[in-house]
Amino acid sequence: MKNDKRPINVGISDLLVFRFPITAISSITHRIAGVALFVGIAFMLYALQLSLTSEQGFDSVVSAIKSPLGMLVTVGLLSALSFHFVAGIKHLFMDLGMGETIEGGAFASKLVFLFSAILIFLSALWVFS
């Protein structure tokens, strides 16, 4: 009989030990960015509704966005949008049959992180300037 030392159940502590490939990290981050955008839409729609009700509502939305926390939330939402957009473009290319190998997928994931980092940096410059 074999002495199999593999865990039967994977716990949280086991997940911290695993070394995920870059393609998995890219995929998980793409999903997290999508969830962040979904939740962020509620706040954006509320801000839009408040800004359209009156001049005081518009002024309160502008002051909230110009606050340090508001700018941080704005950069966070723009970061999620940037990453989700670039990763979505990668998925469109994969649907066309490009980058479906292990090496191609890893290279495409690295490009996603590079281009999204550039977009995130540019959006942070735009918000904080």
Side-chain angles (χ1 to χ4, degrees):
M1 195 171 203
K2 279 170 104 178
N3 188 5
D4 196 5
K5 300 256 186 206
R6 292 182 294 170
I8 296 172
N9 295 320
V10 178
I12 297 292
S13 61
D14 296 323
L15 291 176
L16 298 175
V17 177
F18 291 153
R19 187 174 187 295
F20 293 104
I22 192 158
T23 52
I25 295 169
S26 175
S27 176
I28 293 166
T29 309
H30 183 233
R31 293 165 195 239
I32 291 170
V35 170
L37 286 174
F38 181 76
V39 172
I41 285 174
F43 293 106
M44 291 185 287
L45 287 175
Y46 175 72
L48 177 65
Q49 187 268 335
L50 184 62
S51 71
L52 294 176
T53 56
S54 66
E55 187 175 345
Q56 293 82 16
F58 179 80
D59 291 337
S60 67
V61 169
V62 169
S63 66
I65 290 175
K66 287 186 176 182
S67 72
L69 180 62
M71 287 194 289
L72 189 65
V73 168
T74 302
V75 169
L77 288 174
L78 286 173
S79 299
L81 180 64
S82 299
F83 187 85
H84 198 72
F85 176 75
V86 174
I89 297 292
K90 180 193 86 155
H91 281 286
L92 288 176
F93 279 113
M94 288 176 66
D95 288 343
L96 294 174
M98 296 183 227
E100 290 183 333
T101 64
I102 293 175
E103 297 83 16
F107 180 71
S109 294
K110 290 174 186 175
L111 285 179
V112 164
F113 283 113
L114 175 70
F115 286 128
S116 62
I118 292 169
L119 287 175
I120 291 168
F121 176 73
L122 292 174
S123 65
L125 280 179
W126 177 56
V127 169
F128 288 112
S129 65

